[in-house]
Structure formats: structure tokens, C-alpha cells
Amino acid sequence: MMLRKPVPLLRGQRRPFHHPTFSYRTNFSQSCPFSWNAIHEPYDYTRARLMVNENHEMAIRRVKFNMSELGKRAAESVAFSHDQCVNVKGLPDGMFNKAFLFTMQDGTQVVGKVPNPNAGRPHYTTASEVATMDFVRNKLNTPVPKILAWSSNASENPVGAEYILMEKVGGIQLNKVWPRMNIKQRFELVKTIARYQKAWMSKSFIQYGSLYYSKDLQSNSGCILVNEDGSRFKDDRFAIGPSTGRGFLDDGRIDVDFDRGPWDKLYGYKLAIGFRELACVQEMPQLPRSILGLYGPGTYRRSRSKKIAAIRDYLRMVHFFLPTDDSISSACLWHPDLHVANIFVNPENLSEVVGIIDWQSTEVLPLFDHARQPYFLDYDGPPATGLDPPDFPRDFDQLNPDEKIKAERLYLNMSLATLYRKLTYGKNKRLFKAMEFQQTSSFDMMLFAQNLLIDGEALYRARAIELEEEWSCLPGVQASGNLPFPLQYTTGEVRSIHEDADKAIRSMELMRGVKESLGELWPEKGIVPLERYDEVRELLKHVKTDLINQLANSEEEKTGWDKAWPFDN
């Protein structure tokens, strides 16, 4: 199918103290103290626009609070009076929080963070983030901002919202320097991060969930920690409680009642994921839209019954997916989003990490769920799977200048990922074993089941049937005495499942065509920069019109494709 190609596109230092200016909605700055309550820019999500269900998405990113009181708390957190806070600046919006930089009369700076409604359940998300940062900073010797003040109860503090006040991290964000770092500098940084990952594994837990202070949970029983040598000790100050992970919150899951933990056993945790997806599919008034495929007339048709069937397949099989090596199932605390914007480095020594931020939604999970290369090593190309360095392109001399630049960049990225694997193999065998488990069918079947609410049920069921051929080789099956394959389907049911899978692939191919038509304007996760919104919206309209004209053979089919279009009109 040929879709219309996009039209070709043409291609400071903060002043510390100054009078009110609002030159850009997300870059406001204002002297303190004064009443912020009449100004509503700080409360709305202003960093980007959303192309899917925007009214709802904007609403769950809006939070109103008393900015004057937050500034006062910021000043008090560093032993200043409220009138000694002389400047406040809005930091770029995150998807789940508002952030602000407060500057005191002597130049001391404090970062304030206010969670949006979509950040997590009241109390739990903030309480867990604070306890996690404390534990990582003081128990796992990782450079994390010091918490100065916080509240997880919006109704009992004068700010009128949950908040966290913390030290401002020194150094410079890694994303500012990463592009100009050579491979030696990058690898030195990778080694630094690997040392912190090893520190995170130095203490594990005996439950899965998220970390809290004991006093912030109804059960004040403390937690059991396990050292690397297997010895155990009790810490009364911390406790494992309900998960604050994004998988238990996003796409409407935050409003559904299901088991959020904590869990004493790995099997109980993995079962809870299936029952979570089942509860959401059954109870949500409307299934969330997917932008992985275009599900219109003649393609795969999503339904609750098909999703439920896939989830039940998972629940029947999950026990056999679990690894038999307990060392890679240990409950570890891990940073959930280790990308270049969350790592701060010393500008004079780029391999020195001076701060790691954004510990919100951190979970204590089995090591094999955490064990992936840091996100800042991700790239668009073949994954690094071995320990040997990649081959340099043999036809490099025949490439044009632009192709050579891309080839060199890909080779650098592949080499760095391989170096990380080799370093992990040599210095952290347990983590490497966990990474290897991620290459198995067992892990894939657990991973893809985590988002069946949104998409993938057709391919999941087809893959589950194919799993019968390798069933006896799965570690969990061997440990259970080679029990028979648990899924039994008639010939007609198998044929129907494979037909659905073929139609789902067709649906994804159609969406892939839309994505290619938009090129760099594609709204990843439905998000587009403010300055590109009108352009993307107009282009999506043209692509939609072209697609309907090419695929619809009747007025009824035109209506069907119009309803199937996932983006806002």
C-alpha cells in the first residue's frame, strides 16, 4: 500500500534574579515570594501535545497546588525564611510530574517535585519514591539527591498536593555530552554504571513489590534483607509494600482494584500480573486504544473475549516459565529508567557519575526482570548477543558520506553494547545469567503477557500453541517432571488462532506504513512537540484519508476505518 509521503521540512544561561517574565509557558521564572495562585501555567502539562485521547491525557497531567506554600517549604528545607527564596523557575514537564527550581538568597538551590494524578496512587507513589532514594543513597552507596522535605498526604499539608523537595544535583546531564564522547569515555562511564548495578545487587529482599518506610504502611513489620553471602538481617526502618510500577498504573489500570502486592513468592507475583490484566479487561468500561496496529474492516478485531483467552493461556503456563536458578530470581531494587537524561556526570571527568535521578515507580523485582543493558546504550539496530566485537562493514568504502556516518555510529553503538556484555560477564556473572535468561522463550512469554490489556493477544495465543514443540526443554517443565503441555485446542480452534495472528500482523503492517509516511513526525507513544502539533495533525488527516480511500470498498467499511483510526481527529 502506498501512502502519501510527508512534505519535506526545513531545518542560555538562566538569569538568577529578575522580574516576572512568561516568555514560554514551561520556562517561567519569577521572584519569590508572591502569590502564584492566580497563574495556572505551573499546573498544566505544557511540554508537548498528545495525539490520542488528548483531553483525558491532559486532565490526568494537571495538578493544582499552592505554589507560594511550596516555595516557603523549599526555603525552610534549607533553613531559610520564606522571604529568602528569591527565584523560582519551572523545569521541563515530565510525563508524570511537575518540577521547579527554587533559588535562595545565597544561591542555594532546591528542586521541588509535584506528582500529577497519573503518577500513581495517592500516598504510595511519593512515600515509596522517598524511601527508595534514602535506601539507594545510604544503603547502596549510589549518588542520589538528598531528600530535604516531603509529604505524601495532599489533604494534610498547606501545599495542597503531594511533594518532594530535594537537593539539586551537580554536574551536567549525560544527554548534553553523550553525543561528543568517544568510545573510551563512553566505556569508562559504562564501567561506572556497572559498578552501581553490582552495588544494587549487594542487598536483596525476600519479597517483591516496592520499598517504603515501615511507618508509612499499615503493617509496621520491617523487612528482611539478604547479603551477597546469603546472611540475613532485619531492617525495621524499611518495608516492602504494594508495587508502584508503571505496569500497575498506566492505561487506566490505576483505577482498577487488583492485587498490587507485596508478594512472598515469585509465582505469586507472576500470577498477579495475569490477574491484573484479567481484571482490567473485564472491568474497564472501554478497552484502551492501541497504536501498534490498525484494526479495521478485514483485519484483526480486538475483543475482550480474545484478550481473556490469551490471559488465561498465560495463567495456565506461567508456573513452567519460572527459572530454576534462584540466584537470578532474587528480589532486587533497580533504577527503572536509566537513560541519558537521568544521569548527571562531572563535566571535568565524564566517567564520574555525580547523580542519578527519577526513582519514581521503582520496584523490587526478580533480578531477571531488571537485567537489561542501561537504556542509554539502546540503539536502532541488531542487538548485541555475544561477547565478540561486531564486524566492521565490509563494504564501508563503497558507501556514500551519509551512509558512512550512519555505519560508523551503528558500529560504535554495537561495540559499546558488546563491551557492556563482556564487562558484565567478567565482573558480574549473576547479572549476566539473568540477562541470558531474557533471551529465552520463557522470559518472552512472561514479558509480553504484561501488556495484553493493550495489544498482542492474537500473536500471544499463536506463540503459546507453537510452544508445545519446545515445551519439554523449558526449565520449569523439566523441574516439574516433564508434565504434559497444558493447552488443548481443537483443529478448528488452532486454525482460528493462526488466522487471527495473520490478521494482527496485517494490522501492524498497516500501522507501520502510517509510521513510515510520517517519518520523523511520527508521534512516539502518541506524543508530539508543541511546535510540530499542527503539522503532525494535518499530515495524519491526509494519511487517514489516503488509507481509507485505498482500503474501504463501501460506505460501511469507510465508517469502520474511521472508527478504527486511533488518533484524535
Side-chain angles (χ1 to χ4, degrees), residues 121-192:
R121 295 192 300 157
H123 169 65
Y124 290 100
T125 297
T126 297
S128 180
E129 182 176 4
V130 170
T132 297
M133 291 175 68
D134 181 353
F135 188 91
V136 173
R137 177 185 172 93
N138 295 301
K139 301 287 188 180
L140 301 181
N141 300 315
T142 301
V144 171
K146 181 180 179 181
I147 301 295
L148 302 172
W150 64 284
S151 173
S152 63
N153 192 326
S155 63
E156 293 185 3
N157 73 68
V159 175
E162 298 180 34
Y163 65 86
I164 300 175
L165 295 166
M166 66 189 87
E167 291 179 332
K168 181 180 181 294
V169 176
I172 185 172
Q173 277 180 303
L174 181 58
N175 61 330
K176 302 292 192 348
V177 295
W178 183 256
R180 58 182 171 85
M181 291 169 63
N182 59 41
I183 190 167
K184 182 179 180 180
Q185 291 173 314
R186 292 185 183 192
F187 187 48
E188 287 301 315
L189 178 68
V190 167
K191 288 196 287 186
T192 301

Side-chain angles (χ1 to χ4, degrees), residues 411-427:
Y411 180 77
L412 171 64
N413 291 334
M414 291 177 65
S415 298
L416 197 60
T418 302
L419 286 170
Y420 172 77
R421 285 180 56 81
K422 194 167 186 176
L423 176 68
T424 304
Y425 178 79
K427 301 290 187 180

Side-chain angles (χ1 to χ4, degrees), residues 1-4 506 510 517 542-553 557-558 561:
M1 181 185 69
M2 296 296 294
L3 297 176
R4 181 177 300 173
R506 171 62 174 156
L510 289 172
S517 295
H542 288 305
V543 172
K544 177 183 177 182
T545 299
D546 287 351
L547 183 139
I548 291 177
N549 288 338
Q550 293 180 46
L551 297 180
N553 297 312
E557 288 190 355
K558 285 184 179 180
W561 279 111

Side-chain angles (χ1 to χ4, degrees), residues 2 26 46 50 94-95 143-144 232 275 278 283 347 385 413 497:
M2 296 296 294
T26 59
T46 57
L50 294 105
M95 292 298 289
V144 171
R232 298 186 175 197
F275 285 119
L278 185 63
E283 296 178 24
T385 55
N413 291 334
I497 288 171

Side-chain angles (χ1 to χ4, degrees), residues 193-294:
I193 294 296
R195 286 195 293 271
Y196 288 128
Q197 290 180 325
K198 193 169 179 62
W200 301 344
M201 295 169 57
S202 66
K203 290 181 174 58
S204 58
F205 302 80
I206 63 170
Q207 289 181 301
Y208 305 96
S210 287
L211 189 66
Y212 300 81
Y213 292 128
S214 295
K215 63 182 178 60
D216 289 320
L217 297 176
Q218 291 182 347
S219 174
N220 189 11
S221 57
C223 67
I224 302 297
L225 288 165
V226 184
N227 291 317
E228 286 183 289
D229 62 5
S231 61
R232 298 186 175 197
F233 65 96
K234 186 176 182 182
D235 191 321
D236 291 323
R237 188 162 173 254
F238 295 95
I240 302 297
S243 171
T244 61
R246 299 252 47 99
F248 288 84
L249 302 168
D250 289 347
D251 300 299
R253 294 181 180 92
I254 192 174
D255 298 318
V256 181
D257 185 26
F258 49 74
D259 178 13
R260 287 180 161 85
W263 304 276
D264 295 331
K265 302 293 184 182
L266 176 61
Y267 180 49
Y269 162 61
K270 291 298 182 181
L271 269 182
I273 289 174
F275 285 119
R276 174 193 77 196
E277 297 298 274
L278 185 63
C280 291
V281 170
Q282 291 175 328
E283 296 178 24
M284 283 186 178
Q286 185 174 348
L287 291 175
R289 281 188 176 273
S290 167
I291 58 172
L292 294 180
L294 275 176

Side-chain angles (χ1 to χ4, degrees), residues 449-460:
Q450 295 180 11
N451 208 32
L452 289 173
L453 168 66
I454 309 301
D455 213 321
E457 65 276 5
L459 296 178
Y460 194 86

